[in-house]
Amino acid sequence: MPDCYTALEELIYTFGGPWLFGLLLTSLLILLALVLSVARMKLVGVDELPGPVPPQHSQIDHSFPFLESLNEVLETNRVEESQSHVHRMYFIGPNTFSEPWQLPHTPSEQIHDIVYESAFNTFVDEINAIAAYQWWEGAIYSALSVIGYPLAWSWQQCRRRLKLQRLREFVRSEYDHACLRSCRSRALYEGIKV
């Protein structure tokens, strides 16, 4: 009587038996983990990884006095303003299509004295508008959930990464920190970190 193998056993014995198959499978998983790690580093970028920030030395042309005074502001270390952060703001919500991330409109008691409340509310409105999902994004997610959940999950992760990228770009480059009361903090773009 011939040996009857299941499809999995046939695959295992095609690659030389259980020990060799296990070794090949382990090697393949390690190689895949390395490739995905490198791909993540390429996609995330070096500037977004945590780590020490290299010092920036700027050369100032002394023929322009306003640039020199700005340099003095940049090099001044005031303990009460720049040596520590005051408060960390967290989003509320699970970041799904039905419940996107949101920031609360009322400033917390830790930052109430250092921000203008109306400008802070404008900042929160802009952040919440960027974090909100469009109706069609949720509709595509619902349709993909019916077809196959892995597709819907991938769509949701893709949209989440895009929202996070847009939020980072807004806070880094578009927002001028107008809600801060300190002129120095506004000039240096420091104070509120989201």
Side-chain angles (χ1 to χ4, degrees), residues 125-189:
D125 287 338
E126 291 172 354
I127 288 285
N128 289 344
I130 293 171
Y133 290 102
Q134 301 294 323
W135 67 270
W136 57 269
E137 293 171 314
I140 290 174
Y141 175 76
S142 298
L144 290 175
S145 293
V146 172
I147 295 171
Y149 185 74
L151 293 173
W153 183 83
S154 296
W155 169 256
Q156 185 179 30
Q157 296 306 313
C158 175
R159 301 315 293 176
R160 283 178 172 175
R161 281 191 296 273
L162 184 64
K163 287 294 177 187
L164 183 60
Q165 181 182 2
R166 287 182 183 166
L167 286 166
R168 282 181 178 165
E169 282 299 314
F170 175 75
V171 173
R172 281 185 187 161
S173 60
E174 294 179 33
Y175 186 65
D176 60 355
H177 294 73
C179 68
L180 298 174
R181 291 182 190 250
S182 168
C183 296
R184 182 176 185 278
S185 294
R186 280 196 307 264
L188 297 176
Y189 291 140

Side-chain angles (χ1 to χ4, degrees), residues 106-142:
T106 57
S108 65
E109 60 186 41
Q110 291 90 353
I111 63 170
H112 187 68
D113 294 336
I114 64 169
V115 296
Y116 296 114
E117 193 165 348
S118 61
F120 178 79
N121 286 335
T122 304
F123 168 70
V124 168
D125 287 338
E126 291 172 354
I127 288 285
N128 289 344
I130 293 171
Y133 290 102
Q134 301 294 323
W135 67 270
W136 57 269
E137 293 171 314
I140 290 174
Y141 175 76
S142 298

Side-chain angles (χ1 to χ4, degrees), residues 14-15 22 32 35 38 68 84 96 100 103 107 123 129 134 140 152-153 162 174 178 184:
T14 302
F15 286 102
L32 182 64
V35 168
V38 169
E68 190 172 349
S84 64
T96 60
L103 286 177
F123 168 70
Q134 301 294 323
I140 290 174
W153 183 83
L162 184 64
E174 294 179 33
R184 182 176 185 278

